[in-house]
Amino acid sequence: MKVCLQNYRRRLAFTLVELLVVIAIIGILVALLLPAVQAAREAARRMSCTNNLKQLALGMQNYHDNNLSFPAGASPNHLANNPGNTAADRSIYGKVGWGVWLLPYIEQNAAYDNIIASVKGLTGVAAAHKNLGCYHIGVSAYWCPSDPQGKLFLGEPCRMSYRASAGDIWNADNLVTNAKYLRGLFFYCNYGTYAYYNMSSIVDGTSNTVILSEMGIGKGEQGDGTLYAVNAVAFKSGVGSSATGKPRPCMNRLGPDRTLTGLAGSSGNDSDGVWGVCGRAFHSGLIWATGFNTILPPNAPSCITEDQYSRNTSPVISTFNGSNPIMTASSYHSGGANAALADGSVRFISDTIDCGDLDASPVTSGSSPYGVWGAMGSKDGNEITSL
């Protein structure tokens, strides 16, 4: 009996082999569960992003109900007719983005009132874009939860994860003064021309026309072959003007793992918020800040024709030379990006969506040459296309 009890007591302890087996099993279980937990968290973030876009789309409709049009992609500053504003002030710097005008319709009345009150009496660049504290607000509805840059950075304007659709044609000098040729619901240009569209402008139907989508917020950096299509812009793209250019050269800038081959950037030293490249200033009325095109598929490159940023010296601000920009929807969600339609619904757009003939020049009327995605961006192309 004594011997048996001693053997029993010895069996109460684990052997080294048994301990290693248990540790290995726990490690395997953690390895199996961790991706599932991460996937669940991303699914929750993606759902939150969808809700943000839904809120913004409904805000657009509320704006339309009150103003009989959607907000302009770019419009004059709050006091564009101020006697102190020169023509240059109004046309170049007097460009406020749709994100400002939408604030009262997404329950941000206090922020909007603060902006209007703060710019009262100011002129030119000060009233339009200058580094005013009134722009340094935190609007969570403007941030995709999956975007690591989607938060308020101290001393900088609010950032923007979401973009308004300029449709399937990119801006160029020969078109900016002809808003009637622009195909999307939001018109962007550099020369003071602006346009407001309403529901009657959507000939193709509200359920067939994209109004908003995502684009990753830039980190404020430049690089050669080191930046990614999700949140940067390829320089010196060779796409040419929208009259004769083609988007294929921009698509060709896509490198391994969705890096951008060649020189690219996402912003200069734009803490003053004048240009706000790649979503780094929600109040900007420039397409590379708050707009996108339905030309290349989500997570493909965004491009401009210039080769770099230029830097003025008086005052010291960073200027983004952005002729002929093609801005492309992107996101940190795997496989595509969320987009809102003009009817208020939100859909997930795959990065394999049909984009038609990327060797074709854009058109100013009729069916889009850029497939289903291009047709979803045109408000009046008479295409019979739906997602």
Side-chain angles (χ1 to χ4, degrees):
M1 177 67 69
K2 183 177 181 180
V3 174
C4 292
L5 184 59
Q6 288 176 345
N7 290 338
Y8 174 75
R9 287 175 177 172
R10 281 197 294 269
R11 290 177 184 176
L12 291 177
F14 288 107
T15 66
L16 179 60
V17 173
E18 289 172 332
L19 181 61
L20 292 175
V21 170
V22 171
I23 293 174
I25 292 173
I26 293 174
I28 292 172
L29 290 176
V30 171
L32 292 174
L33 290 175
L34 188 58
V37 172
Q38 291 175 335
R41 288 176 176 174
E42 170 53 26
R45 290 192 293 264
R46 177 170 155 180
M47 182 176 295
S48 179
C49 177
T50 299
N51 290 337
N52 285 347
L53 273 170
K54 180 74 173 180
Q55 180 180 352
L56 297 182
L58 293 177
M60 289 286 188
Q61 293 187 348
N62 289 334
Y63 181 100
H64 184 282
D65 290 344
N66 283 273
N67 298 278
L68 303 181
S69 74
F70 295 108
S75 56
N77 66 39
H78 314 286
L79 298 169
N81 296 321
N82 215 327
N85 279 346
T86 65
D89 288 335
R90 292 192 297 271
S91 65
I92 301 300
Y93 297 109
K95 303 182 67 59
V96 174
W98 59 271
V100 172
W101 309 119
L102 197 63
L103 288 173
Y105 303 95
I106 57 171
E107 301 182 351
Q108 294 289 333
N109 301 70
Y112 178 79
D113 292 341
N114 184 32
I115 290 172
I116 298 302
S118 298
V119 300
K120 187 175 182 180
L122 298 177
T123 60
V125 69
H129 297 289
K130 198 59 179 175
N131 185 16
L132 299 172
C134 61
Y135 289 126
H136 301 176
I137 60 175
V139 184
S140 59
Y142 285 163
W143 305 328
C144 170
S146 295
D147 194 326
Q149 299 294 311
K151 56 185 177 180
L152 182 63
F153 286 79
L154 186 63
E156 293 188 18
C158 177
R159 300 186 176 194
M160 175 79 81
S161 298
Y162 304 109
R163 304 298 191 99
S165 173
D168 62 337
I169 187 169
W170 62 92
N171 291 0
D173 294 353
N174 63 323
L175 289 177
V176 292
T177 56
N178 297 292
K180 65 180 181 180
Y181 292 140
L182 271 294
R183 311 255 292 172
L185 278 172
F186 298 88
F187 178 61
Y188 293 87
C189 73
N190 292 333
Y191 301 101
T193 304
Y194 55 96
Y196 298 87
Y197 297 110
N198 54 31
M199 287 291 187
S200 63
S201 305
I202 310 176
V203 177
D204 296 343
T206 57
S207 61
N208 300 323
T209 305
V210 171
I211 188 171
L212 299 165
S213 189
E214 300 181 75
M215 187 173 176
I217 300 172
K219 297 179 180 179
E221 57 186 351
Q222 297 185 46
D224 193 341
T226 60
L227 303 188
Y228 290 85
V230 67
N231 62 357
V233 177
F235 297 146
K236 208 168 185 177
S237 63
V239 296
S241 74
S242 58
T244 58
K246 300 173 177 59
R248 177 68 68 182
C250 183
M251 189 66 181
N252 290 343
R253 296 293 294 274
L254 191 63
D257 298 322
R258 296 199 177 273
T259 56
L260 293 172
T261 60
L263 188 63
S266 61
S267 186
N269 179 19
D270 71 341
S271 60
D272 58 4
V274 174
W275 301 109
V277 184
C278 294
R280 290 169 59 86
F282 85 105
H283 59 278
S284 176
L286 298 171
I287 189 169
W288 44 79
T290 57
F292 80 102
N293 302 103
T294 56
I295 297 173
L296 300 181
N299 298 314
S302 295
C303 299
I304 60 169
T305 56
E306 274 78 8
D307 59 354
Q308 61 184 3
Y309 299 98
S310 66
R311 190 169 178 80
N312 296 335
T313 56
S314 180
V316 179
I317 60 173
S318 294
T319 302
F320 188 73
N321 290 327
S323 293
N324 306 317
I326 294 180
M327 305 306 293
T328 302
S330 65
S331 82
Y332 288 88
H333 313 305
S334 177
N338 288 313
L341 305 182
D343 65 357
S345 63
V346 179
R347 304 290 295 273
F348 188 75
I349 309 299
S350 170
D351 53 23
T352 60
I353 190 172
D354 170 43
C355 289
D357 184 5
L358 298 183
D359 293 307
S361 298
V363 297
T364 56
S365 62
S367 298
S368 173
Y370 305 126
V372 173
W373 190 221
M376 295 300 295
S378 68
K379 63 185 181 300
D380 52 4
N382 293 309
E383 302 104 335
I384 305 175
T385 303
S386 62
L387 293 172

